[in-house]
Amino acid sequence: MPYLVYLIPAGIVLIIAVILGRTAAFRSRRYAVEPQRSLNIDVDRAAERLSRAVQLPTITVSDPEKGDWGPFEKFIRYLEQAYPSAHGVLEREIVNGYSLLYRWKGRDESLKPVLFLAHIDVVPVEEGTEQDWHYPPFSGALAEGFVWGRGTMDVKNQLISVLEAVEYLAAEGFTPARDFYFAFGHDEETRGEEGAVKLSELLQSRGLSFEYILDEGGAVTLGAMPGVKRPIALVGIAEKGYADIRITAQGEAGHSSMPPRHTAAGLIGRAVAALEKRQRPARISPYLKETLAYVGPEMGFGLRLILANLWLFGPLFKMVFKSSRAGNALLRTTTAVTVLEGGSKPNVLPQKASAVINYRIAPGESVQELLDHVREVVGDKIKVEPIQATEPSKISPVDGSGFQAIEQAVYAVFPEAATVPYIVMGGTDAIRYEPVCDQIYRFTPMLISKEDLDRLHGTNERLSLENIERGIRFYIELFKR
């Protein structure tokens, strides 16, 4: 007992020393990069070319036979006319009717090529919201320092930035050290089956393997991460899987005046409530630890202390983090009940009722694990069937040549930002290219606010002239490096 008088205080002092020592060693991973020489980019002309690209409503629908493919054909012709120098140095193929594959031949065939992705298609404008736009959604209006319209942020801006950079460098007589490939799918917004899948299969058939791949994904954000004052450049190192799962209950037919204990609708209601209550576990996964290791040092002392000592504060961190929608999505496979069906009249018992639940599957889990979880939660009386499902992507390394090249280009163009690897919540075409590359990253070079995020797939999508210039500079930096 006398020893405890000394051991307890000594233990407390030791723990405090460890906490403070780990906090002191939790330092920023940012570094300075000297940008390329001053670039004479004609931003107004680039804005006009983006505007004209937006004016072509390349909207995809789930059923390819019901799509309007005229704008896609015009878009392909437009790119050739708008970027003559680029098309003078690029070899072009049209794949499966409306997707594009370009090759820029490099000087050294012994070096593995790099692949840059974007997509041509855009989502439609929600019916009835057209009047909420400051400028018509396919006008490509140049006003107030922005280009307005569908696709300016997702993701014709990325496609145009790539070709602007090629056009600029080709006019200078630049030739890359290694081959560059550019793959622009035409149906990313409807899962990429006819675009990215066919492009990837073509590259596989030719035995191609890439040093790294860059697709759309995170951006440089202001105010999107609590406790961080500087801009954060979110570079996706993986993306979640996707699953739509239908659950169905059968019930007795008849009049509602003499109901059974549970109707089919009631059974589905109970199942939905159970799935929302018993979600997949929240975990501080290895990839989340990687994210926190990059962003933590940019926070104030209190948050930095917690993130530097997750061995002690992990449970507290999880409890606080999962209280926000964004934090919860980073911690676990998410559950979203999106469709409920059943019944025809208020006084008739439904013979069948169903619900569709959308899951975004965290890396490290699988579609089969998810199905087993759903069946366990809803019980034997409920039928469970996957409508569509995609496994989570592989996780790309943060110490690879691709991440380092992207990071250097980020710091050259966004010197105030801190690069942070993260998991992309939505799906991209990038996952389709895993057979040809182990380093796949997801980043869109634009600086946006938290409010701007609502414009993606939403109303008043727009891109500033400053962001047009940043995007072009980013790809020039990346190509030259």
Side-chain angles (χ1 to χ4, degrees), residues 172-405:
E172 284 192 338
F174 171 82
T175 302
R178 66 182 76 224
D179 282 4
F180 290 164
Y181 283 79
F182 309 99
F184 303 147
H186 70 269
D187 64 341
E188 189 272 347
E189 300 293 359
T190 55
R191 310 293 292 165
E193 296 288 345
E194 300 299 320
V197 169
K198 302 301 182 185
L199 287 161
S200 178
E201 289 173 350
L202 178 62
L203 296 171
Q204 292 174 59
S205 72
R206 294 174 180 174
L208 286 164
S209 175
F210 295 92
E211 179 71 13
Y212 70 90
I213 293 174
L214 177 61
D215 194 7
E216 64 172 322
V220 184
T221 60
L222 273 171
M225 195 161 290
V228 182
K229 293 182 179 180
R230 70 170 63 255
I232 297 296
L234 294 167
V235 178
I237 56 173
E239 63 187 67
K240 282 188 163 185
Y242 182 100
D244 290 325
I245 296 177
R246 178 182 285 115
I247 58 172
T248 305
Q250 299 288 339
E252 300 177 21
H255 198 277
S256 62
S257 61
M258 294 183 291
R261 183 177 179 186
H262 295 295
T263 68
L267 290 171
I268 282 298
R270 291 179 64 188
V272 164
L275 288 170
E276 288 193 327
K277 184 176 181 180
R278 291 179 56 190
Q279 298 196 20
R280 297 294 296 158
R283 297 182 298 122
I284 303 177
S285 56
Y287 60 80
L288 180 54
K289 288 181 180 178
E290 198 77 66
T291 298
L292 299 176
Y294 274 79
V295 75
E298 311 302 331
M299 295 180 166
F301 178 78
L303 289 171
R304 194 163 72 249
L305 182 145
I306 291 172
L307 295 181
N309 295 278
L310 288 174
W311 61 277
L312 180 61
F313 299 116
L316 173 63
F317 169 80
K318 279 201 300 184
M319 183 178 69
V320 173
F321 209 56
K322 69 182 181 182
S323 65
S324 74
R325 291 166 62 179
N328 184 61
L330 285 171
L331 284 169
R332 58 155 47 105
T333 294
T334 53
T335 303
V337 181
T338 54
V339 179
L340 291 169
E341 295 177 320
S344 58
K345 295 179 69 177
N347 63 342
V348 176
L349 299 177
Q351 286 186 275
K352 184 170 74 171
S354 66
V356 176
I357 302 95
N358 175 257
Y359 289 93
R360 301 303 172 108
I361 309 168
E365 299 185 21
S366 68
V367 172
Q368 188 57 55
E369 283 179 299
L370 177 61
L371 288 169
D372 292 342
H373 164 79
V374 173
R375 291 186 175 112
E376 179 186 350
V377 172
V378 302
D380 297 337
K381 293 183 178 180
I382 304 293
K383 181 181 179 181
V384 177
E385 55 182 335
I387 301 171
Q388 59 177 332
T390 304
E391 299 286 356
S393 75
K394 298 175 183 176
I395 300 177
S396 297
V398 296
D399 58 355
S401 58
F403 187 88
Q404 292 172 2

Side-chain angles (χ1 to χ4, degrees), residues 19-269:
I19 290 172
L20 294 176
R22 290 176 65 90
T23 305
F26 200 45
R27 295 174 181 168
S28 177
R29 302 192 182 193
R30 296 176 64 246
Y31 56 88
V33 169
E34 188 68 29
Q36 300 287 339
R37 62 175 174 76
S38 178
L39 302 174
N40 185 26
I41 296 171
D42 189 340
V43 180
D44 291 335
R45 187 177 180 189
E48 289 174 5
R49 288 194 279 223
L50 175 59
S51 169
R52 289 191 59 190
V54 171
Q55 292 171 41
L56 296 169
T58 49
I59 301 169
T60 43
V61 294
S62 299
D63 185 352
E65 294 186 2
K66 295 181 180 179
D68 179 5
W69 300 109
F72 289 82
E73 294 170 347
K74 292 178 181 178
F75 189 86
I76 292 171
R77 293 196 298 270
Y78 167 68
L79 293 182
E80 188 172 11
Q81 169 265 317
Y83 297 102
S85 296
H87 282 77
V89 298
L90 298 175
E91 303 167 8
R92 189 194 75 180
E93 295 177 72
I94 300 175
V95 178
N96 201 24
Y98 311 104
S99 290
L100 295 172
L101 179 65
Y102 291 98
R103 179 195 180 199
W104 194 359
K105 186 170 172 50
R107 301 188 304 271
D108 189 346
E109 293 184 359
S110 68
L111 296 174
K112 290 180 71 173
V114 176
L115 175 60
F116 300 96
L117 307 179
H119 59 86
I120 296 168
D121 61 317
V122 299
V123 296
V125 175
E126 185 178 348
E127 190 174 348
T129 67
E130 295 87 351
Q131 69 276 10
D132 297 328
W133 286 71
H134 296 330
Y135 303 92
F138 291 102
S139 66
L142 286 158
E144 304 176 41
F146 296 89
V147 179
W148 299 75
R150 180 63 82 226
T152 51
M153 296 174 70
D154 184 13
V155 71
K156 286 180 177 177
N157 56 323
Q158 193 140 350
L159 188 156
I160 293 298
S161 291
V162 166
L163 291 180
E164 288 284 345
V166 176
E167 184 79 3
Y168 185 98
L169 293 173
E172 284 192 338
F174 171 82
T175 302
R178 66 182 76 224
D179 282 4
F180 290 164
Y181 283 79
F182 309 99
F184 303 147
H186 70 269
D187 64 341
E188 189 272 347
E189 300 293 359
T190 55
R191 310 293 292 165
E193 296 288 345
E194 300 299 320
V197 169
K198 302 301 182 185
L199 287 161
S200 178
E201 289 173 350
L202 178 62
L203 296 171
Q204 292 174 59
S205 72
R206 294 174 180 174
L208 286 164
S209 175
F210 295 92
E211 179 71 13
Y212 70 90
I213 293 174
L214 177 61
D215 194 7
E216 64 172 322
V220 184
T221 60
L222 273 171
M225 195 161 290
V228 182
K229 293 182 179 180
R230 70 170 63 255
I232 297 296
L234 294 167
V235 178
I237 56 173
E239 63 187 67
K240 282 188 163 185
Y242 182 100
D244 290 325
I245 296 177
R246 178 182 285 115
I247 58 172
T248 305
Q250 299 288 339
E252 300 177 21
H255 198 277
S256 62
S257 61
M258 294 183 291
R261 183 177 179 186
H262 295 295
T263 68
L267 290 171
I268 282 298

Side-chain angles (χ1 to χ4, degrees), residues 400-476:
S401 58
F403 187 88
Q404 292 172 2
I406 294 162
E407 186 175 53
Q408 289 171 15
V410 166
Y411 287 146
V413 178
F414 305 92
E416 298 302 315
T419 302
V420 175
Y422 87 117
I423 302 300
V424 176
M425 299 296 111
T428 71
D429 274 344
I431 198 169
R432 306 296 190 176
Y433 295 87
E434 286 190 341
V436 295
C437 190
D438 294 324
Q439 296 188 63
I440 302 179
Y441 304 98
R442 301 153 177 88
F443 176 72
T444 299
M446 59 182 178
L447 175 62
I448 59 176
S449 67
K450 185 178 179 181
E451 291 71 29
D452 288 328
L453 294 174
D454 293 333
R455 300 178 188 274
L456 287 164
H457 286 200
T459 300
N460 288 319
E461 187 177 348
R462 66 184 189 181
L463 190 73
S464 69
L465 298 187
E466 292 86 356
N467 271 326
I468 291 172
E469 182 175 7
R470 291 180 184 117
I472 300 167
R473 286 179 56 208
F474 173 84
Y475 279 104
I476 291 174

